[in-house]
Amino acid sequence: MIQIFGTNKSFDCKTAQRWFKERRIPFQFVDLKEKEMSAGEFDSVVDALARTTGSRADAIDALIDKSSKDYSSIAYLDDNDIADKLFENQLKLLKQPVCRNGKQMATVGLDQKTWETWK
């Protein structure tokens, strides 16, 4: 089943939900304000993104919302510290939505072209 991680206030999360609803593709929405990703879910998303981006560091970089006011708190950290901070501050630092299809596929932001292959 497809999972969408984000917040109800995010316009992009609402757009993602609407996209899946319109195509009658079942999904689970996980509001990061109520429940953040577990360590296993987070690693699964990073690993899935690394398959398409080429490396774990690029996958973590793709997950970061660089327009966030809290971005400066991680901008100059090394890769391992960035991953830890990102996991600890998902609500403030994650680019939304994060969509996951099983453990093998994931996207960040609006990526309808990739979602079409998930049917």
Side-chain angles (χ1 to χ4, degrees), residues 51-65:
R51 287 183 188 87
T52 56
T53 61
S55 74
R56 189 170 171 84
D58 290 341
I60 289 169
D61 189 57
L63 283 167
I64 299 170
D65 180 2

Side-chain angles (χ1 to χ4, degrees), residues 1 57 67 94 111:
M1 174 183 272
S67 64
L94 270 183
D111 192 354

